[in-house]
Amino acid sequence: MESKKEISRRDKITPLTVDPAVRARALKNKKKLHVRRKLIEWGLFTGYLTPSLLGVILFFFLPLLMLLKTSFQKSSTNTELVGTLNYERVLTNEAFKDASFNTLTFALLAVPLAVLLALLLAMLLNTGLPGKSAFRSILLNPMMVPVASVVLIWQVFFSYNGVVNGWTASLLGWSKIDWLKSDYAQIVILLMFLWKNLGYNMVLFLAALNNIPTEILESAMMDGAGAFKRFFSIKLYYLSPTIFFVAIMSLVNSFKIFREVYLLTGDYPYDSLYMLQHFMNNAFTKLDYSKLSAGAIIMTVVMGAIVGGLFFAESKLDSNIEE
Amino acid sequence: MKTFTKKTCSAVVALVMAVPMIASCGKKDNGDPTSSVSGRSQMSSSVSGEEIEEDFGWFDVDSLDFSDRYTDQRFTNLYVDVLGMKDDRIALEVSRSFYDDYSFQEVLESEEAGGGDDGSDYNAIDIYDLDGELIRSVPVEDIYAAAGEDEEGYHYLWRSEFDGDKMRFTVCTYDDDWNESYSNIEMDIATGNLTVTEEDRVDTNDEEGSYEGSYTFDGYTVEKTFYWGDASCYYIIDVTKPSGDTKRIDFSTEIPSMSIFDINACVYIGDGRAVAQCTPETDDYSAGYVYVMLDLEDGSCELYENTDWLAGIDLSTASYSEDGRTMVIGREGLMSINFDDGSLEMVVDFNNCNLNRFDALRYTFLGIRDGKYYFQGIGEEHETDNGYIYTENIVVFSEADSNPNAGKMILRAAAPKGLTYQEAEAVRRFNEMSDEAFIVFDFSYNGRDNQEFGLCAGFLPASATLDEDAAMSNQLSIDLMTGDGPDIIFGTIGFSQMDNDNYLTDLSSVIPSDEEYFTNVFDAARVGGKLYQIPLDCGFSGITANGEDVGYDQAGFTFDSYREFVDEVCNGNDPVGAGRFDFLALCYSSMSDCFIDDSGNATFDNDAFRQLADFTSDIPEEGMVMSCDVCQRATEGVGYITISTLDEYLRNFGGTAESTRLMGIPSVDGRGPIITVDDSVAISANAADPDICMEFVRYALSYEGQMIFANSDRTPVMVRAFEDGAQTTIDEYNAQVQRILQFSTREELAACGFFAEEVDEGVIDAYEGFIRAACTIEMTDPSVLNIIREEIGAYYEGQKTMEEIIPILENRVQTFVNERG
């Protein structure tokens, strides 16, 4: 037998009545109430989101659309449509091809190294090394150093009359190498990139490693799984979201290295350091907006494809993990 | 409550994010003074392509010229200076002199003689009414006498100005020891009586201060004395009020934070206040003017802040009008200036008349009478057979009932580097003859005048002008692309970034085919085979040398021949005198085609670059490019020089002109001099009516247009105009030589470095030969030059070999060339 309390509560939810019309009306009211509640929630949600959304639309999506429009026009203000002429200009431009190749090469070198080395460092620190927090701080410090200071340090080391040449000349008897104007230039920049970004990536991996359920690892160990097996079969799966995130962040950071390269070498660096951003920066200063727009759209498409591919791969892996 | 708090915080955060975005969307005020001018006429505010209506406003311009009143043939020299205007009276200072002995004797016997120690000149202050009738003539000697004739020494009339129904004069006297002192004299215009004011003689022998004269406004007399203090320099202003009371304003106590080096203008703004335009004392004198507001009643002063709206305004052209407004002449016209609300209001828009805008920039406002605006015009000067005449006229602007150019299309012209007389005159004449268009000027791309940098414009740091040039050229480029820019652009031939179809129109088809031009000049200006900016005149830079030393058929020097020339002819003194990198830039600019071929390949692995590097490595790093140390160089016959006209060439080299060769800068193949261009014209790719704009260009290239350049210190690009103008030039030059030889012998003049030799038509052929031998315009891409300078330093220091730097150079320059496409 239901208690009085339960019955009265039930009345409020679903009034006890045998009249179907009244029942229908009550249900309709309930639906209206539900919709209104949802609308209020949605309104609140949108209201708080609007400023940021507005900013993103105004300063990201709208400019992107304008950029797309400009890439098919004669210039940013001359609206005469020229079809794909600007894209042809850009894609047949030798400087753009060189810049794309250099940017891609650097990304293919830098991103895997940044992920791998950071992961190895994180795993090393996760073994309970003494002085771990000090070591972590040391690795994070390069992130806080201003760009200009980083550039200065690298110039001191790698200029023609720099420290490295001094060491190699005196210790090894090598002749001087103009590091930043030779085929070794990308290696120097790669070292700078790794030096600056390893710390941050390592911290992300450390956090991810600490979130792996220890009982699974213990049970695997008890089942006789070795370290390698445990890593590749268990840890890697749990680390995969972080790996993808670190990879994407490293990819973005590999583009940002333009800042340091620009400060080190100027508008027109040695061939192997000439990046896509150099091309676009120079087009901007020369007010060649049509070329700039086409180049930017091409770069956006390629980046979108890469990142989209990464997300797709990650989602596939995630579903495997869930299974 | 908790929810309410959360919502409130969220709203605040959202607002904080949104407000800066909205606030930063305001239009940037670039400090352009023309943007703060109100009351512009419709001619100025109309867009290109708009048709002129009858009600657009117009001023008829007339001239009051008094030179025809002074035709006494006994005097060979005549100077007529306009001193000022008050009520219906105009004051002129008239100086007449002669140096013909016969006339000297005759005038001594004449009753009119009265000037100077030897009676060789006669100066007077002549006062006329607006109808041109002489009211009174006061010999300047009488003024000197009133100042104390018994004083020995040298006198001159330092200042003359109207003050009500009187004129005030300041006489400067130097004694035997060259101590200067000043006396203030007052003249009643009605009676001509001269009296010395109460301040009889201002003692300027104060060791600490230096009296610099006075200003008179509306009954106030403001005297300024300059002092060098221990830590700074300052002025003390002594004010005498109309009531006779005096006040002293000491800048060192009133504005101790500011060290004032010079007061170059002071203008009355009414209500007992004046504004002094001052040059502050800074290390490089590039700080621009500062303005000090003087309260003449209280005897105080303060710095006037917020002076951005004054950029481009020179208060030395300002004056207080009788209607209570302070007037100043800017590029666009006569404006009233209000210091209380920081505004400028157009009174007479110079686009509402057709006059030479270069001359108009130099007008001085005199006053307003019966709705007419009176200006002191620029002086006209010319030499006669036996003398020299300089006269200033009065320019009168009268409002017309309707605009006589109604129906014509408005075209806008800009001269971002500054308008020249020649360009202004070409526009004026075109406006007169064209039935289709009227060209108005747009000065919004002109940045700040160099006047803003006060006395020391010569010491202006290059970075200041380079920054302004860069900002101005970027703005011009943007506006040209958007179609908001001018239709016609003058003088931008050095802005190579504009040489493409986005900004400018190819003018190759505009050059008339029925006349002969110095086509090498046009060819040098082509970019990618197109002619975006047409030179209207030319000059050249090069090294002068005696023809006997270098041969008459040699256009320029190779590096080796230049070394020999310096060693053997110049005794080791390099005539260019440039430092290593400057010489590198000079040589590169003359042979840049050797390093980037027509296919766009950068190649430095050639003799040209190796020789250039080897040559410049021997040059000291420090040096100074002396554009022309004329006296010394002319004596030796060698020097690095930039020449714009035949007249300049003759005056620099005199009778040696025909035997003097102008050689090109050292290069791998000994090519000719570099072409310099003072005036050029371009048409916007988005011009309102390109055909009419091209009509203007055709006019500027026509014989009539080119003769403007030929007759005004330029070398035209049309051969016929050049030859006709050159003939006139050598005739005038020979006449001047004859005049000078009346008083000195050739030997005496040679001892002073002046060669008084007559020349014949052979010098025209020689000069024309220089023009035809010149092959490149001084234009270089700074990006490539910067790359070369960055890399070649190691070679100069001996750290790298040529084989090491050449690949790097080619690599980097090729990237630049590839990027350009």
Side-chain angles (χ1 to χ4, degrees):
Chain A
M1 188 85 170
E2 290 170 332
S3 65
K4 270 190 184 174
K5 218 175 180 179
E6 282 175 1
I7 291 171
S8 66
R9 197 171 70 234
R10 203 149 54 92
D11 281 345
K12 282 177 187 163
I13 297 168
T14 310
L16 273 178
T17 174
V18 297
D19 187 344
V22 173
R23 196 180 180 85
R25 217 165 31 243
L27 278 171
K28 202 175 170 184
N29 284 341
K30 203 169 84 173
K31 233 182 197 172
K32 255 195 217 168
L33 211 69
H34 176 75
V35 166
R36 202 169 78 175
R37 196 166 54 235
K38 282 289 179 196
L39 273 176
I40 291 172
E41 277 178 14
W42 187 84
L44 276 174
F45 158 78
T46 311
Y48 286 121
L49 202 59
T50 297
S52 303
L53 197 62
L54 206 63
V56 169
I57 291 172
L58 270 177
F59 297 109
F60 183 74
F61 283 113
L62 266 181
L64 192 61
L65 289 174
M66 285 167 63
L67 202 69
L68 186 65
K69 183 168 164 280
T70 305
S71 68
F72 292 105
Q73 292 175 354
K74 193 170 183 186
S75 74
S76 58
T77 49
N78 185 338
T79 56
E80 179 191 342
L81 288 174
V82 292
T84 55
L85 178 66
N86 292 325
Y87 289 96
E88 286 168 28
R89 274 177 70 203
V90 168
L91 289 170
T92 55
N93 189 297
E94 291 299 323
F96 181 80
K97 289 182 203 170
D98 290 340
S100 305
F101 177 77
N102 291 335
T103 307
L104 195 62
T105 309
F106 184 77
L108 283 175
L109 283 173
V111 173
L113 278 174
V115 171
L116 201 61
L117 291 176
L119 181 58
L120 287 173
L121 278 172
M123 287 173 64
L124 185 65
L125 285 183
N126 209 33
T127 57
L129 209 65
K132 167 182 161 181
S133 51
F135 194 47
R136 188 170 56 202
S137 302
I138 290 169
L139 281 174
L140 270 178
N141 275 341
M143 270 199 70
M144 295 181 282
V145 178
V147 171
S149 305
V150 172
V151 165
L152 191 63
I153 294 165
W154 243 249
Q155 268 179 339
V156 167
F157 273 87
F158 289 99
S159 71
Y160 190 70
N161 297 312
V163 173
V164 172
N165 274 340
W167 285 342
T168 53
S170 60
L171 295 176
L172 303 169
W174 290 1
S175 55
K176 285 185 182 178
I177 302 172
D178 200 344
W179 296 95
L180 291 168
K181 292 171 191 169
S182 66
D183 295 332
Y184 302 107
Q186 273 217 349
I187 295 175
V188 173
I189 301 301
L190 182 64
L191 285 173
M192 182 197 295
F193 171 80
L194 292 173
W195 176 75
K196 210 161 165 19
N197 293 285
L198 272 183
Y200 177 69
N201 294 348
M202 179 202 70
V203 164
L204 291 173
F205 278 127
L206 267 176
L209 282 170
N210 288 332
N211 280 335
I212 298 174
T214 50
E215 54 273 13
I216 297 179
L217 289 170
E218 283 168 4
S219 67
M221 205 167 10
M222 281 178 1
D223 287 343
F228 276 106
K229 188 75 176 167
R230 285 201 305 274
F231 177 79
F232 284 102
S233 301
I234 301 170
K235 285 187 182 176
L236 197 59
Y237 279 113
Y238 279 97
L239 286 174
S240 61
T242 309
I243 290 174
F244 280 112
F245 177 73
V246 168
I248 290 169
M249 291 302 295
S250 298
L251 183 66
V252 171
N253 288 334
S254 73
F255 280 83
K256 286 189 193 170
I257 203 68
F258 160 76
R259 223 171 16 183
E260 285 83 353
V261 174
Y262 180 79
L263 287 173
L264 273 171
T265 57
D267 285 327
Y268 296 97
Y270 191 74
D271 194 22
S272 57
L273 293 181
Y274 183 73
M275 308 286 194
L276 273 175
Q277 287 89 338
H278 282 100
F279 178 84
M280 285 193 264
N281 200 49
N282 293 335
F284 181 78
T285 53
K286 288 179 173 60
L287 305 177
D288 195 347
Y289 294 135
S290 50
K291 192 156 78 174
L292 171 64
S293 305
I297 294 295
I298 292 170
M299 193 172 141
T300 305
V301 167
V302 170
M303 283 287 287
I306 294 172
V307 173
L310 283 172
F311 273 116
F312 177 75
E314 194 229 349
S315 68
K316 280 285 176 197
L317 202 60
D318 261 350
S319 59
N320 286 342
I321 292 171
E322 280 162 17
E323 283 167 14
Chain B
M1 190 61 187
K2 209 171 171 185
T3 313
F4 177 73
T5 309
K6 274 192 210 168
K7 288 179 183 175
T8 310
C9 289
S10 304
V12 167
V13 168
L15 202 65
V16 164
M17 284 170 59
V19 162
M21 283 196 292
I22 298 165
S24 64
C25 288
K27 186 176 176 183
K28 178 171 174 277
D29 179 12
N30 59 5
D32 177 5
T34 59
S35 65
S36 58
V37 178
S38 63
R40 276 208 192 82
S41 70
Q42 283 161 299
M43 293 284 281
S44 290
S45 51
S46 296
V47 296
S48 296
E50 197 171 325
E51 198 173 284
I52 298 174
E53 305 284 344
E54 282 192 5
D55 61 351
F56 269 25
W58 186 255
F59 286 94
D60 292 323
V61 180
D62 295 309
S63 173
L64 285 179
D65 188 354
F66 297 93
S67 59
D68 56 353
R69 291 160 175 78
Y70 305 100
T71 55
D72 191 334
Q73 294 300 315
R74 290 173 301 169
F75 296 97
T76 53
N77 296 325
L78 173 69
Y79 297 83
V80 178
D81 296 310
V82 174
L83 295 177
M85 178 174 139
K86 182 73 176 176
D87 295 328
D88 293 338
R89 292 184 287 272
I90 297 171
L92 308 176
E93 182 178 356
V94 183
S95 306
R96 284 162 286 183
S97 65
F98 50 86
Y99 42 59
D100 179 69
D101 283 344
Y102 181 75
S103 299
F104 165 70
Q105 290 297 330
E106 193 177 309
V107 173
L108 268 185
E109 294 162 6
S110 158
E111 291 178 358
E112 290 182 52
D117 291 333
D118 56 0
S120 63
D121 53 18
Y122 179 72
N123 299 343
I125 304 294
D126 291 350
I127 301 174
Y128 288 84
D129 63 19
L130 293 183
D131 294 323
E133 296 298 321
L134 181 66
I135 297 173
R136 182 163 303 285
S137 179
V138 179
V140 171
E141 284 302 310
D142 292 355
I143 301 173
Y144 292 158
E149 189 178 3
D150 58 339
E151 294 279 342
E152 290 183 359
Y154 171 72
H155 309 276
Y156 75 92
L157 199 58
W158 191 80
R159 188 189 294 276
S160 310
E161 54 197 0
F162 281 103
D163 182 18
D165 56 355
K166 296 182 172 48
M167 277 206 80
R168 293 185 185 280
F169 306 102
T170 304
V171 175
C172 178
T173 303
Y174 288 99
D175 62 17
D176 287 343
D177 296 325
W178 289 103
N179 294 314
E180 63 177 31
S181 59
Y182 292 85
S183 304
N184 292 329
I185 317 296
E186 193 177 271
M187 181 184 80
D188 186 322
I189 294 173
T191 62
N193 287 339
L194 293 165
T195 53
V196 179
T197 58
E198 279 191 31
E199 303 250 348
D200 181 15
R201 183 176 296 275
V202 178
D203 184 6
T204 60
N205 290 331
D206 183 347
E207 286 179 1
E208 293 178 2
S210 171
Y211 179 73
E212 292 186 356
S214 64
Y215 303 95
T216 305
F217 316 117
D218 204 27
Y220 294 90
T221 302
V222 175
E223 293 176 295
K224 55 177 185 173
T225 307
F226 174 76
Y227 288 85
W228 277 108
D230 292 331
S232 65
C233 46
Y234 60 95
Y235 275 83
I236 289 181
I237 307 292
D238 291 301
V239 180
T240 306
K241 299 196 276 188
S243 59
D245 295 339
T246 57
K247 289 282 183 186
R248 170 162 278 206
I249 305 173
D250 186 341
F251 279 17
S252 64
T253 53
E254 296 280 340
I255 43 172
S257 61
M258 186 61 62
S259 179
I260 302 293
F261 179 74
D262 181 53
I263 296 178
N264 39 59
C266 190
V267 63
Y268 187 66
I269 60 171
D271 299 327
R273 296 175 304 157
V275 173
Q277 177 176 277
C278 308
T279 303
E281 186 197 16
T282 57
D283 287 341
D284 57 5
Y285 301 96
S286 65
Y289 292 141
V290 295
Y291 300 88
V292 179
M293 185 77 79
L294 305 171
D295 190 324
L296 304 176
E297 277 295 321
D298 293 342
S300 63
C301 72
E302 61 180 4
L303 273 179
Y304 184 79
E305 309 287 348
N306 299 324
T307 58
D308 286 346
W309 64 281
L310 285 167
I313 298 294
D314 184 5
L315 290 187
S316 60
T317 70
S319 58
Y320 186 68
S321 175
E322 286 159 353
D323 59 2
R325 292 182 290 177
T326 303
M327 302 288 201
V328 67
I329 295 181
R331 296 185 191 108
E332 293 184 78
L334 180 71
M335 295 176 276
S336 71
I337 185 170
N338 189 323
F339 281 89
D340 292 323
D341 58 18
S343 67
L344 294 159
E345 186 180 347
M346 190 67 72
V347 176
V348 176
D349 192 330
F350 286 164
N351 275 332
N352 278 25
C353 53
N354 190 28
L355 41 68
N356 186 303
R357 295 297 291 273
F358 177 82
D359 289 344
L361 291 171
R362 285 146 187 80
Y363 287 174
T364 302
F365 176 64
L366 293 175
I368 307 173
R369 290 289 173 279
D370 300 326
K372 295 184 183 180
Y373 299 86
Y374 290 79
F375 295 83
Q376 176 183 339
I378 54 106
E380 289 193 13
E381 55 188 303
H382 63 273
E383 293 185 6
T384 61
D385 288 340
N386 57 355
Y388 179 83
I389 293 177
Y390 172 85
T391 57
E392 291 176 349
N393 60 351
I394 307 283
V395 184
V396 185
F397 285 68
S398 315
E399 271 196 73
D401 295 327
S402 64
N403 194 315
N405 297 292
K408 291 186 186 178
M409 176 190 292
I410 289 178
L411 296 175
R412 308 189 74 80
K417 297 287 281 179
L419 185 64
T420 66
Y421 168 82
Q422 293 78 6
E423 291 158 357
E425 185 62 14
V427 167
R428 187 190 71 78
R429 294 193 193 183
F430 176 81
N431 284 342
E432 268 179 1
M433 53 159 262
S434 174
D435 296 325
E436 294 176 307
F438 189 90
I439 300 173
V440 298
F441 280 97
D442 180 352
F443 288 105
S444 58
Y445 303 99
N446 280 69
R448 294 178 300 173
D449 275 336
N450 277 348
Q451 293 167 357
E452 183 155 351
F453 299 99
L455 296 173
C456 303
F459 296 97
L460 187 67
S463 58
T465 50
L466 283 175
D467 287 343
E468 282 198 1
D469 281 356
M472 175 268 296
S473 71
N474 279 343
Q475 186 60 50
L476 179 62
S477 300
I478 291 168
D479 287 353
L480 286 174
M481 268 212 310
T482 61
D484 293 335
D487 302 289
I488 297 168
I489 306 104
F490 291 110
T492 54
I493 200 164
F495 296 160
S496 55
Q497 71 268 26
M498 292 198 331
D499 290 336
N500 64 70
D501 293 329
N502 284 332
Y503 306 120
L504 300 175
T505 303
D506 179 15
L507 298 175
S508 301
S509 61
V510 171
I511 299 171
S513 56
D514 54 349
E515 284 283 353
E516 187 188 357
Y517 294 87
F518 294 116
T519 52
N520 58 312
V521 177
F522 293 145
D523 291 338
R526 288 181 190 277
V527 176
K530 294 184 181 179
L531 196 56
Y532 294 107
Q533 306 198 54
I534 289 190
L536 297 174
D537 57 36
C538 59
F540 30 81
S541 294
I543 299 170
T544 57
N546 196 307
E548 290 174 2
D549 293 325
V550 296
Y552 288 93
D553 54 353
Q554 186 176 343
F557 293 102
T558 60
F559 293 114
D560 289 333
S561 65
Y562 187 71
R563 284 195 189 92
E564 283 174 21
F565 174 75
V566 171
D567 288 338
E568 293 169 10
V569 177
C570 305
N571 297 320
N573 295 316
D574 189 338
V576 174
R580 178 185 294 162
F581 288 106
D582 289 330
F583 217 139
L584 174 74
L586 267 176
C587 294
Y588 177 83
S589 67
S590 80
M591 52 181 204
S592 56
D593 57 306
C594 294
F595 306 116
I596 302 174
D597 61 24
D598 290 337
S599 325
N601 295 319
T603 171
F604 289 86
D605 191 7
N606 52 32
D607 283 342
F609 184 71
R610 289 174 191 277
Q611 288 185 30
L612 173 61
D614 187 45
F615 172 75
T616 50
S617 66
D618 295 332
I619 295 172
E621 198 168 331
E622 296 298 322
M624 186 175 66
V625 175
M626 290 177 280
S627 61
C628 184
D629 186 356
V630 176
C631 294
Q632 182 180 354
R633 302 295 184 200
T635 303
E636 299 165 354
V638 295
Y640 176 73
I641 197 167
T642 298
I643 291 197
S644 298
T645 63
L646 175 62
D647 182 71
E648 195 177 341
Y649 184 66
L650 291 175
R651 290 181 194 285
N652 285 335
F653 299 100
T656 64
E658 203 167 338
S659 62
T660 298
R661 306 299 303 158
L662 190 70
M663 314 286 286
I665 296 292
S667 59
V668 67
D669 49 10
R671 54 186 64 183
I674 298 172
I675 300 169
T676 60
V677 176
D678 289 311
D679 299 287
S680 65
V681 65
I683 296 175
S684 166
N686 294 309
D689 193 320
D691 291 331
I692 299 182
C693 294
M694 288 188 189
E695 281 305 312
F696 170 75
V697 177
R698 286 194 190 92
Y699 171 76
L701 290 174
S702 67
Y703 180 77
E704 185 188 335
Q706 286 288 289
M707 284 307 290
I708 296 173
F709 296 89
N711 291 332
S712 58
D713 294 333
R714 292 285 196 265
T715 301
V717 288
M718 179 192 276
V719 175
R720 181 160 66 107
F722 161 71
E723 288 172 349
D724 291 349
Q727 188 60 54
T728 307
T729 298
I730 62 173
D731 291 342
E732 286 176 356
Y733 178 80
N734 288 338
Q736 191 187 39
V737 168
Q738 286 301 318
R739 276 198 298 276
I740 293 170
L741 286 175
Q742 291 177 9
F743 305 100
S744 305
T745 64
R746 292 181 205 275
E747 290 73 24
E748 286 170 341
L749 292 168
C752 297
F754 183 78
F755 297 94
E757 296 284 346
E758 291 169 353
V759 297
D760 60 22
E761 287 76 13
V763 75
I764 299 178
D765 295 332
Y767 191 84
E768 192 169 326
F770 298 150
I771 301 172
R772 294 190 187 278
C775 54
T776 50
I777 282 188
E778 198 173 4
M779 262 188 318
T780 188
D781 205 309
S783 300
V784 175
L785 205 54
N786 277 339
I787 293 172
I788 295 173
R789 288 172 71 137
E790 284 172 12
E791 298 304 331
I792 207 168
Y795 173 76
Y796 289 149
E797 297 301 318
Q799 295 173 358
K800 287 187 180 179
T801 63
M802 200 47 54
E803 281 64 38
E804 286 174 306
I805 70 168
I806 283 176
I808 298 173
L809 265 176
E810 288 181 341
N811 185 294
R812 293 184 66 189
V813 174
Q814 190 64 55
T815 301
F816 166 77
V817 173
N818 287 345
E819 187 185 86
R820 202 167 54 184

